[in-house]
């Protein structure tokens, strides 16, 4: 064999291992159709219904981007699927099985897809395992001062290394193979093994903490209600876990377990806001209905990043550790985590409702609600405005989504009064807890529950290209 041809065949072999994965077969010409999100048209697979993710992860070196594990997906289909196409930018895949048998796959990290050459028909269910190890993927966000997804906070002399997820809108695919779109929420069992001295925390209720070989520990969490992939919390840190009395605001008056996780060496006063969490749950469930999950609390993180409404365990930066942000993230447990988005363009359905909750809380503390609404209106008047359905990635988390979204709800409230408004919020949660919501759904719900005047009031705020008059 001459050198060049040896090199050529070796390079080709290496390339195929890199792109296709050891033991895998080349891509079939069959392709999958994405969900067709209007902001992120490549995310997800249309017709794929992931019902459950069972994660078994190892974080051997906290504070680094190394991650290994096995993810077991329980999948169904709402239309015939010629192959399975998951979103995945993460570590190298070592093996895939389909109903217990090795299955051919193709990992394309550049495209962010892991395709598995197996078909699925409506009515069938399959169990797929993906084993992977290596370095997590990157998903830079042009609108945020960070890469979304798996965060690695290096040790710095003062603090130990830590990891956590901050995945909105589509960062979960940096470390897990997922159908990474909010319209396909799923339940999760999360098992994380960490080194001695470390604590893992994740969405759901902790069901087990066991010693692991080598001196570490394995923590297991059950997230029993479906949540969108971006809302999965996962933290590894030298946390102190603080338990508080349960709050009886769950479905049917069930107790909501209370736990918060704090890193050591926090600035004085950081924990103060979290002593109010039980009150926040009580006030908000009065407006929104039962708290949808079995546990709630916060995990505090040290980087200066946005807070995120990770399900059952909000991710709260030190610098956002105040009651207003806590109220906002807690409200998202209903709006975003339980009532999920059908399309990212409708993200105001998350942010507008969560911002509105800040007013409901302030009024419950005896503050002047009218002044807060006027403050919002002034702020909205100083910013560019637009109809509420976002037209681009840059608009997703702008003043319109948050403030104009909240003002739209105020317009409904002043049209119908507090009692009808409360029933309307509860009705929205009840009606859309099991199907993804869009702006048109909220308009239809408004007409159904409150009548044509309320719908018209809302529609003005959702559709007008200019800022409608102050709702008072
Ligand atoms: N949803 C977050 C909030 O509570 C924003 C995260 S930025 C992608 O406002």
């Amino acid at each position: 064999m001459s050198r060049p041809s040896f090199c050529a065949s070796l390079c080709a072999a290496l390339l195929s291992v890199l792109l296709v994965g050891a033991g895998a077969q080349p891509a079939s010409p069959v392709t999958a159709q994405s969900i067709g999100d209007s902001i992120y048209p490549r995310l997800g697979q249309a017709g794929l219904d992931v019902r459950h993710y069972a994660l078994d992860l190892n974080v051997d070196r906290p504070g680094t981007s190394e991650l290994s594990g096995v993810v077991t997906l329980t999948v169904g289909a709402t239309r015939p699927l010629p192959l399975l196409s998951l979103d995945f930018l993460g570590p190298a895949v070592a093996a895939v099985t389909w109903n217990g048998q090795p299955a051919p796959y193709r990992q394309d990290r550049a495209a962010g897809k892991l395709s598995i050459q197996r078909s699925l028909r409506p009515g069938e269910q399959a169990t797929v395992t993906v084993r992977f190890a290596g370095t997590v993927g990157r998903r830079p966000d042009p609108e945020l001062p960070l890469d979304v997804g798996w965060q690695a906070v290096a040790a710095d002399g003062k603090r130990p290394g830590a990891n956590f997820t901050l995945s909105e809108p589509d960062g979960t695919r940096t470390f897990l193979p997922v159908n990474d779109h909010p319209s396909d929420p799923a339940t999760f069992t999360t098992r994380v093994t960490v080194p001695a001295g470390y604590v893992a925390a994740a969405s759901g209720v902790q069901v087990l903490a066991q010693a692991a070989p080598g001196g570490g520990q394995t923590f297991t969490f059950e997230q029993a209600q479906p949540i969108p992939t971006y809302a999965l919390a996962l933290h590894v840190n030298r946390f102190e876990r603080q338990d508080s009395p349960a709050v009886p605001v769950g479905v049917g008056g069930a107790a909501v377990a209370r736990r918060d996780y704090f890193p050591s060496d926090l600035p004085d006063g950081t924990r103060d806001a979290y002593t109010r969490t039980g009150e926040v749950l009580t006030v908000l469930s009065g407006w929104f209905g039962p708290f949808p999950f079995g546990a709630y609390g916060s995990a505090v993180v040290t980087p200066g990043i946005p807070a995120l409404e990770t399900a059952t365990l909000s991710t709260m930066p030190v610098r956002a550790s105040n009651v207003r942000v806590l109220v906002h993230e807690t409200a998202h447990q209903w709006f975003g985590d339980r009532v999920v988005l059908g399309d990212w363009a409708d993200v105001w359905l998350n942010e507008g409702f969560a911002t509105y909750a800040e007013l409901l809380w302030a009024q419950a503390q005896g503050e002047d609600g009218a002044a807060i609404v006027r403050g919002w209106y002034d702020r909205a008047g100083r910013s560019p405005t637009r109809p509420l359905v976002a037209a681009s990635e840059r608009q997703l988390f702008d003043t319109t989504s948050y403030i104009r979204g909240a003002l739209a709800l105020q317009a409904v409230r002043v049209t119908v009064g507090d009692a009808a408004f409360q029933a309307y919020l509860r009705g929205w949660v009840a009606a859309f807890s099991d199907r993804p919501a869009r702006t048109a759904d909220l308009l239809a719900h408004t007409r159904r529950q409150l009548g044509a005047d309320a719908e018209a009031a809302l529609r003005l705020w959702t559709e007008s290209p200019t800022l409608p008059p102050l709702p008072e």
Side-chain angles (χ1 to χ4, degrees):
M1 189 184 291
S2 72
R3 258 167 189 277
S5 79
F6 173 73
C7 178
S9 58
L10 181 68
C11 293
L14 275 177
L15 200 66
S16 75
V17 168
L18 282 174
L19 290 179
V20 180
Q25 291 176 5
S28 79
V30 185
T31 53
Q33 202 184 324
S34 74
I35 287 174
D37 186 88
S38 35
I39 307 293
Y40 299 111
R42 279 149 48 159
L43 288 179
Q45 181 176 19
L48 171 60
D49 172 18
V50 180
R51 293 172 185 155
H52 186 70
Y53 296 91
L55 318 178
D56 189 354
L57 303 174
N58 300 294
V59 179
D60 298 332
R61 298 207 306 136
T64 72
S65 297
E66 282 174 29
L67 185 69
S68 64
V70 184
V71 177
T72 304
L73 303 91
T74 306
V75 297
T78 58
R79 66 169 83 165
L81 302 178
L83 81 171
L84 200 74
S85 173
L86 299 169
D87 298 297
F88 193 43
L89 293 161
V93 173
V96 171
T97 68
W98 180 275
N99 290 333
Q101 301 301 314
Y105 64 92
R106 179 174 195 273
Q107 181 176 17
D108 183 342
R109 281 183 99 176
K113 294 286 179 181
L114 171 67
S115 35
I116 298 163
Q117 262 79 71
R118 287 285 179 267
S119 61
L120 195 64
R121 309 188 65 78
E124 294 176 345
Q125 182 167 287
T127 302
V128 183
T129 71
V130 179
R131 178 179 297 277
F132 61 84
T135 307
V136 299
R138 286 195 53 205
R139 196 297 205 182
D141 191 313
E143 305 304 323
L144 293 173
L146 72 146
D147 291 357
V148 295
W150 186 253
Q151 307 291 310
V153 186
D156 69 357
K158 187 160 164 248
R159 292 203 175 87
N163 294 96
F164 65 95
T165 56
L166 196 86
S167 299
E168 190 179 18
D170 60 337
T172 301
R173 64 195 180 116
T174 64
F175 67 102
L176 296 177
V178 281
N179 197 29
D180 209 359
H181 193 268
S183 62
D184 185 21
T187 54
F188 286 79
T189 304
T190 304
R191 230 174 140 236
V192 192
T193 302
V194 297
Y198 275 90
V199 171
S203 290
V205 174
Q206 182 173 308
V207 291
L208 214 55
Q210 303 169 283
Q217 254 196 307
T218 301
F219 296 84
T220 307
F221 303 85
E222 281 297 345
Q223 172 61 46
Q225 300 78 21
I227 55 167
T229 47
Y230 75 86
L232 176 72
L234 216 163
H235 292 254
V236 174
N237 206 331
R238 287 191 194 271
F239 278 133
E240 182 194 324
R241 171 177 152 166
Q242 188 175 310
D243 291 337
S244 302
V247 189
V249 294
V251 179
V256 176
R258 280 274 304 111
R259 74 280 182 266
D260 300 296
Y261 293 87
F262 300 109
S264 50
D265 282 330
L266 288 177
D268 284 350
T270 305
R271 294 186 182 204
D272 294 353
Y274 305 105
T275 63
R276 312 290 302 274
T277 303
E279 289 167 72
V280 172
L281 287 171
T282 303
V283 169
L284 296 189
S285 62
W287 284 98
F288 305 152
F291 185 77
F293 306 124
Y296 186 62
S298 300
V300 173
V301 297
T302 53
I305 48 152
L308 186 64
E309 63 266 29
T310 32
T312 80
L313 188 65
S314 290
T315 300
M316 300 290 292
V318 170
R319 73 169 186 200
S321 289
N322 61 66
V323 179
R324 187 188 64 76
V325 176
L326 176 65
V327 167
H328 184 102
E329 306 314 329
T330 308
H332 273 308
Q333 304 293 314
W334 284 267
F335 305 108
D337 295 355
R338 190 69 180 106
V339 177
V340 299
L341 297 176
D343 193 289
W344 279 109
D346 298 299
V347 71
W348 82 270
L349 293 175
N350 291 357
E351 300 305 344
F353 278 72
T355 303
Y356 199 79
E358 298 171 28
L359 172 68
L360 296 172
W361 168 260
Q363 289 181 311
Q365 309 312 301
E367 289 177 38
D368 179 0
I372 293 171
V373 172
R374 273 196 307 277
W376 283 346
Y377 195 76
D378 291 346
R379 212 174 128 194
R382 289 193 302 270
S383 313
T385 198
R386 58 170 176 83
L388 283 172
V389 178
S392 67
E393 185 175 32
R394 136 167 282 169
Q395 293 179 344
L396 291 181
F397 300 101
D398 67 3
T399 310
T400 296
S401 285
Y402 286 75
I403 304 296
R404 179 170 168 153
L407 288 165
L409 294 173
Q410 177 68 4
V412 175
R413 185 180 180 186
V414 301
T415 306
V416 301
D418 280 9
F421 184 66
Q422 183 206 42
Y424 162 80
L425 294 173
R426 287 168 168 248
W428 174 240
V429 174
F432 280 86
S433 281
D434 290 306
R435 51 197 170 125
R438 300 218 51 182
T439 300
D441 296 318
L442 184 66
L443 286 161
H445 171 72
T446 309
R447 175 180 281 265
R448 238 187 343 262
Q449 196 162 334
L450 300 176
D453 288 353
E455 190 212 358
L458 178 62
R459 192 178 286 280
L460 184 63
W461 281 84
T462 60
E463 291 181 358
S464 166
T466 57
L467 198 65
L470 175 69
E472 26 181 17

